[in-house]
Amino acid sequence: MQLPQGTRTHRVALRHLHSDSDAAPSVWTRVRLLERWDIMGRGAGSAFLGVGAGRPGFAMMALDSSVYVHGSTGETGVGVLAVAHPGRSENILRHLQWITVHDSPYVNREFKARIAVWLAARARNAVDP
């Protein structure tokens, strides 16, 4: 699961996101989801899964990278994205490439650099089997 780095709450992470500071990006943390977890409802009220019950804010990926799930809250509702094998999705790859070349106040420089490194390694592996 992708969580805010350290022990910041989601609210603090949002404050840093919308400020001029270069706050540390989110980091991937290994977790085990149980069947009884309600990650979109009551679980979204935790410091890491959202900002209130029914208002999610998280990203997660299977350990084998076979599926990526992202939940977020917008102005008019809740958005959920699920992608099978995201590393094979041309749309996802195009979006990641776009992030590396365009400036956005919502993308941390370190996160952008990590994406660029991953894309470069992926390109090298495609050339050198």
Side-chain angles (χ1 to χ4, degrees):
M1 180 170 288
Q2 191 175 27
L3 301 173
Q5 192 168 14
T7 57
R8 297 180 319 192
T9 64
H10 184 72
R11 182 167 298 182
V12 172
L14 283 176
R15 190 172 349 150
H16 283 284
L17 178 69
H18 297 292
S19 72
D20 290 335
S21 72
D22 197 20
S26 299
V27 294
W28 286 99
T29 303
R30 186 175 178 169
V31 299
R32 177 175 296 183
L33 297 179
L34 304 175
E35 277 190 39
R36 67 178 183 267
W37 280 27
D38 177 10
I39 59 175
M40 298 290 285
R42 288 186 326 272
S46 73
F48 296 116
L49 295 180
V51 293
R55 298 185 62 200
F58 63 85
M60 61 180 75
M61 186 179 307
L63 291 175
D64 65 359
S65 300
S66 62
V67 66
Y68 171 82
V69 178
H70 179 265
S72 64
T73 304
E75 290 183 30
T76 60
V78 172
V80 179
L81 171 72
V83 180
H85 304 286
R88 298 182 203 162
S89 168
E90 288 302 317
N91 288 333
I92 297 291
L93 295 171
R94 235 184 339 267
H95 180 68
L96 291 174
Q97 291 167 346
W98 184 89
I99 288 173
T100 63
V101 280
H102 290 88
D103 287 328
S104 169
Y106 303 109
V107 178
N108 179 280
R109 279 182 279 171
E110 184 180 339
F111 182 60
K112 187 186 270 195
R114 288 180 187 179
I115 292 172
V117 167
W118 183 81
L119 288 171
R122 186 178 184 282
R124 277 193 308 276
N125 289 339
V127 173
D128 302 326

